[in-house]
Structures are given as structure tokens and as C-alpha cells.
Amino acid sequence: MKPAIDPWTTAQIENYKELFDTFGIKPFTPFVKKLKDPHLLMKRGVVIGHRDFDRIYDAIKNKEDFAMLTGLMPSGPFHFGHKMVADQIIWYQKQGAEVFITVADIEAYAVRNIPLEKCRETAINEYIANYIALGLKPKKAHIYFQSDYKKEYYRLKSMISKRATLNEFKAIYGDDISPAKINAVLHQVADILHPQLPEFGGKRPVIVPVGVDQDPHIRLTRDIASRASEFDFILPSSTYHRFQTGIRGGKMSSSKPESFIALNENPEIAVKKLKTALTGGRDTVEEQKKLGGTPENCVIYEFYLYHLIPDDKELKKVYENCRAGKLLCGENKARAVELLEKFLKEHQKKLEKARNQVDKYITS
Ligand code: TRP
């Protein structure tokens, strides 16, 4: 049997609404209005779904203790698709969350065949350094490796294994589930639940911001949490974001260099890549002037939306001018190139400074 979403192979989600209806994920929109300071990605419909975000909303509003946990697969360069997650992590830290980030090196070893030393190197030089350069603060932030952490975490991982059946694993992950995958999944369940153990801060709401492909893990974690009554966990909450499109369409993926721009990419190469981006333009200039472009299908517009144009009014202007046929792709790409270059140059200066801060963040 093939599951509807497979966290290890699902490439792109065609229809979010259908998927949400099937699995009971709720739309995020009500919180965009309620939150005092919603993240840009929330306002712009990139964070689109949630489970039990109410608890997190209340904790933020009442300034109560809560934690954020998410994980990274250290499989290659840190690119703009990863930045989007980092931006959310940093936002939660500003909202008062205690931040936990797991480096899923055991998962990467199990499903991507990446040696642990290589995982460590990539996590430090690519991910952690970039998180710091983007604004993650060391206070109330813990980054750890699945392969090298505290004993209470491993005890939890062993104990929760009793709260699921093999048939359940098969139903969620399909028939090619293996011992290594089961182990990686148990790690992820322990990742998500451990911030509620007394040794790590105690019972409290935990938010897990992820891509929709991770929802099978979230569902299983919530089921296991509700059965493991001896621990008295609050069911973890989650949000789901849309994935950023690759430069030429399709998925932005670490294993396809032409599909992404890395945050430490040589700006000249980055600009060359961006120039090849798929746009929502028409076949001819005449047609585009007459009919307008379609920003919804434009990778450049998506770069603005996710990263390069934080000002809402300015973004709206781009959208309207494109639709009206006043802003053509050539002119627009020239502007995107300028914004990208500026961003990369400034970021890369911060990145160099961030490199010697990494130790302050790692817990073992
Ligand atoms: N499985 C995640 C990925 O493929 C990484 C991960 C491990 C994770 N543990 C986690 C994500 C806990 C969220 C919460 O990227």
C-alpha cells in the first residue's frame, strides 16, 4: 500500500485543501487576524494549516511558557527553502518560546545514507551558522544531534516504542517500512515530546512548524502521546507551510543545485541562477502588455513573497503592476537580481561572524 503522504518521497503537494480535509488539518487564517504580530509567512498564506494552534496562541497571548521544536535533515547546502523555516523558528523565539532544534542525523543516516560525521559538518557549517546569521539568539535555544544527546531522551524513545504497533507503522508509512525507518520515526516522536519531560522544562504546549510532508510523523506522535498516559503529555501542536518552488519549477531540493540558491552562494552564480527562473509571463511582450502576467505562477514573485520584499504595500504594487501588464518580466528580473545580491552580500558578512558562535547553541 502507498500512503497519501510519504515523508521520504513526496515531491510536491498538488492540492493542499483536499489533503487538509482528508487528514483534519485546519486552515491557519483565523490566527492571522488574532495574533498581534503574525509572521510575514503567516500573513502571506505560506503557513497555511495547523493542528491545535489555539494552545500556542493562548501561550503567546498570556505570556505563558511554551516550547518550539523542529528538525533538520543535514543533507546539503542551506538554501532559501530552509531559510523559510529558520525565519519561523526565530519568530517563535521572539514570541517567548524555548527553542529546540534537532539535527536528524540518525534519520539522514538511515534514509539518505549520509555518514554521521558528514551530517555534523553540514549541520554546523550550513544550518546552524545560517540560523545564527539570520538572528537566532543563544538564550533559550538548544540545538542537538539525534545521535548525541541526553539519556532521558533515549529512555523516552525506548519507552514510547511500546505505544505503537507494526500495523500502524505500515498503514502510515507504507509496506517498505524498515527497522532503520522505524528507529528514525521513534527518534522524531521523542524529539517532539521530550521538551515536556521534567529534565527539559516540563509539561507545556509545544509547537512544531513543518512542511506538510511531515504530517504523518505529527499524527503518529499525537497518537502515541495520548496513549502514553504515564507521561501526561499535552498533545503537540503543529503548523504546515507551503514549499517554495524550485528555480525552474518543481521542487526546491538540496540534491539539485540548479533548483535552489544557497545562502552562501557566490552572488554572481546566484544571480545567474535567478535569471533562469520560471516566470508567469506570456509568450510575447504584446500579449503580456495586453493580458498581464500571472504572479501566482512566478518563481521570482515567490522569492519576493517569501524573502525579498518584506513590505506588504510594495509587494502588492508588484502584484498589481504585473497583473495589469505594466511590469514586464525583464524589468522585474532586473529588480529581483538587485534585491538578491544585496541580501546575499549582507547575509554573508553576518555568516562569517556567526561561524565562531556555533558552540554556544549546541547541547549534548
Ligand atoms: N523528518 C524531518 C525532515 O525530514 C526532520 C526531523 C527530525 C523533524 N525530527 C523532527 C522535524 C522533529 C520536526 C520535528 O526534515
Side-chain angles (χ1 to χ4, degrees):
M1 194 195 73
K2 218 182 146 357
I5 330 174
D6 175 345
W8 296 294
T9 56
T10 298
Q12 267 207 314
I13 312 289
E14 298 297 333
N15 187 335
Y16 282 97
K17 189 174 177 312
E18 198 182 288
L19 196 71
F20 284 9
D21 290 347
T22 311
F23 291 108
I25 296 172
K26 302 260 161 54
F28 194 79
T29 27
F31 294 106
V32 175
K33 293 195 197 90
K34 281 165 73 176
L35 282 164
K36 226 167 99 195
D37 172 30
H39 191 275
L40 215 65
L41 295 168
M42 296 171 173
K43 285 196 278 183
R44 296 180 175 184
V46 175
V47 174
I48 39 170
H50 77 96
R51 291 186 189 273
D52 283 346
F53 192 81
D54 315 65
R55 280 200 258 289
I56 304 304
Y57 171 76
D58 288 342
I60 293 175
K61 194 176 81 183
N62 304 326
K63 299 199 178 340
E64 283 158 8
D65 183 22
F66 75 108
M68 187 239 60
L69 179 136
T70 192
L72 61 101
M73 269 265 244
S75 57
F78 186 89
H79 58 57
F80 277 91
H82 302 126
K83 173 179 174 290
M84 169 193 39
V85 183
D87 289 341
Q88 293 179 61
I89 296 175
I90 292 160
W91 182 84
Y92 282 111
Q93 188 176 47
K94 286 197 186 123
Q95 304 302 313
E98 180 160 13
V99 167
F100 294 82
I101 302 169
T102 177
V103 177
D105 57 348
I106 291 292
E107 183 182 356
Y109 176 78
V111 302
R112 303 253 191 274
N113 223 352
I114 310 174
L116 294 186
E117 308 81 69
K118 179 85 187 123
C119 286
R120 196 171 189 99
E121 196 188 298
T122 306
I124 290 176
N125 296 333
E126 292 292 335
Y127 286 79
I128 305 177
N130 274 295
Y131 289 158
I132 300 170
L134 289 168
L136 186 70
K137 298 283 177 277
K139 202 174 157 219
K140 282 173 66 180
H142 319 274
I143 304 179
Y144 68 92
F145 294 81
Q146 284 179 332
S147 67
D148 180 22
Y149 199 31
K150 295 191 160 64
K151 67 173 187 290
E152 293 83 3
Y153 164 82
Y154 297 103
R155 186 193 297 148
L156 175 65
K157 193 194 99 174
S158 294
M159 288 175 74
I160 49 171
S161 67
K162 193 176 148 80
R163 305 290 172 187
T165 65
L166 198 52
N167 281 336
E168 203 174 2
F169 270 87
K170 282 187 186 155
I172 299 175
Y173 300 103
D175 284 335
D176 62 345
I177 188 76
S178 63
K181 280 185 181 173
I182 292 178
N183 182 56
V185 170
L186 291 172
H187 266 286
Q188 184 149 350
V189 175
D191 290 332
I192 296 172
L193 297 178
H194 89 279
Q196 296 195 60
L197 293 177
E199 295 82 359
F200 297 93
K203 182 176 176 181
R204 57 188 155 162
V206 177
I207 177 73
V208 186
V210 283
V212 187
D213 65 316
Q214 297 295 305
D215 188 54
H217 301 313
I218 304 283
R219 268 182 277 136
L220 179 67
T221 304
R222 287 164 56 93
D223 288 344
I224 288 180
S226 64
R227 291 172 202 148
S229 52
E230 63 205 299
F231 290 103
D232 193 27
F233 289 128
I234 296 176
L235 290 194
S237 309
S238 51
T239 62
Y240 303 94
H241 48 250
R242 285 174 195 273
F243 293 111
Q244 198 180 342
T245 314
I247 304 275
R248 298 190 207 159
K251 197 184 174 201
M252 187 177 282
S253 155
S254 310
S255 54
K256 288 187 276 165
E258 69 287 357
S259 76
F260 64 77
I261 293 172
L263 268 69
N264 68 354
E265 192 125 12
N266 175 323
E268 260 174 57
I269 296 177
V271 163
K272 266 195 201 140
K273 282 191 184 177
L274 195 68
K275 282 185 179 160
T276 69
L278 196 75
T279 71
R282 308 278 170 181
D283 290 342
T284 64
V285 171
E286 288 70 48
E287 229 181 283
Q288 187 155 348
K289 282 186 180 160
K290 204 166 92 202
L291 302 170
T294 47
E296 292 82 1
N297 303 329
C298 177
V299 167
I300 302 273
Y301 182 76
E302 209 183 52
F303 259 92
Y304 290 159
L305 185 106
Y306 281 68
H307 308 287
L308 297 176
I309 302 189
D311 185 295
D312 288 331
K313 280 195 207 113
E314 220 180 304
L315 185 74
K316 191 158 173 255
K317 236 196 283 168
V318 172
Y319 182 89
E320 286 169 356
N321 286 340
C322 171
R323 290 239 93 164
K326 286 187 210 152
L327 176 64
L328 302 181
C329 294
E331 183 190 336
N332 190 38
K333 268 191 180 169
R335 170 159 188 221
V337 159
E338 227 172 84
L339 290 173
L340 178 70
E341 261 190 315
K342 181 162 174 282
F343 174 86
L344 288 179
K345 284 188 179 148
E346 283 168 14
H347 179 74
Q348 288 172 7
K349 271 188 224 148
K350 293 183 205 154
L351 190 57
E352 285 323 303
K353 285 200 196 121
R355 295 204 185 278
N356 52 26
Q357 305 290 311
V358 168
D359 287 349
K360 284 194 214 157
Y361 293 76
I362 299 178
T363 314
S364 59

